Amino acid sequence: MRILTGYMPPTDGTATVAGFDIVKESLEVRKRVGYLPETVPLYTEMTVFDYLKFMADLRHLPDVENVVSETLDMVGLLDRAGGFIGNLSKGMRQRVGLAQALLHRPEVLILDEPTIGLDPAQIIEVRNLIREIGRERTVLLSTHILSEAQQICDRILIINKGKIVAEDTPENLQASLAGAQRVQIILRGQADKAVEEISGLAGVQNVILQGEDKLEFQYDTQNDIRPNVVRAVIKAKLDMLEMRTASL
């Protein structure tokens, strides 16, 4: 996350945000990214409004006072604008942190453990706020709590030792954890013709077409469905080149 936000240079590889290279076009990336680190950097002796105005001035934003007021309204802090940050609860401080990340209306919002250290009521408030924000822009959320990702996110990536080991919708990942498996088959083109046949097999669900020659589906691990899949592909008059089965 620090690499994507420009806080740390990569040691290897490349990455782009909103189409811009994080190294070659770092300033363009920063214009389009809002970042809320795990520990929110706030000036507790300032009022909420003054702090956000200060941050907006640093970004050279036009019409600063209106921008700050609109952002405070967006995160539900308009009635706290004149209060000192030091007097706010941790949940409210998280909202201030979100507000500073949203001031410049970024295309991508990156949040690092946004609910850590909050009480249950504050967690619910922050999660609801993130869901609302996610309707208008891309939100990249880091969390160690799978249930939190399931409640907030449309898509989940699980990373282990720096490598992506799973990527799917929350529903599909939950099914995988519950004992289901996903299978990918590779055909000699025209994979769309196999979708109907495979979808009709008992125990098969969530058939997803992945290009001209690939499709994925989910099935219950209690039944070995591979022979039926082979027969379905033959019935569709297609050639299967490979079938992969991988549990999460």
Side-chain angles (χ1 to χ4, degrees), residues 128-194:
N128 289 339
L129 179 57
I130 293 171
R131 275 195 292 267
E132 287 294 322
I133 293 170
R135 293 177 180 177
E136 299 180 356
R137 52 184 45 82
T138 299
V139 177
L140 180 60
L141 168 73
S142 169
T143 179
H144 290 87
I145 307 170
L146 186 57
S147 60
E148 178 167 86
Q150 183 181 357
Q151 293 177 42
I152 298 176
C153 303
D154 299 316
R155 195 160 191 85
I156 297 174
L157 286 82
I158 297 178
I159 299 175
N160 182 35
K161 297 180 180 179
K163 294 185 178 181
I164 296 175
V165 296
E167 177 184 358
D168 214 325
T169 63
E171 295 78 15
N172 289 342
L173 284 176
Q174 184 179 30
S176 297
L177 290 171
Q181 284 187 329
R182 290 200 65 79
V183 171
Q184 182 186 76
I185 62 174
I186 301 176
L187 306 171
R188 198 186 302 276
Q190 298 181 309
D192 57 317
K193 292 185 177 180

Side-chain angles (χ1 to χ4, degrees), residues 83-94:
F84 287 98
I85 294 174
N87 294 333
L88 298 178
S89 66
K90 187 169 176 56
M92 289 297 176
R93 293 188 190 192
Q94 286 292 87

Side-chain angles (χ1 to χ4, degrees), residues 203-220:
V204 170
Q205 54 185 325
N206 298 327
V207 180
I208 302 172
L209 189 64
Q210 296 187 323
E212 296 181 355
D213 61 349
K214 297 179 185 177
L215 60 83
E216 279 192 5
F217 60 90
Q218 185 177 301
Y219 78 99
D220 188 345

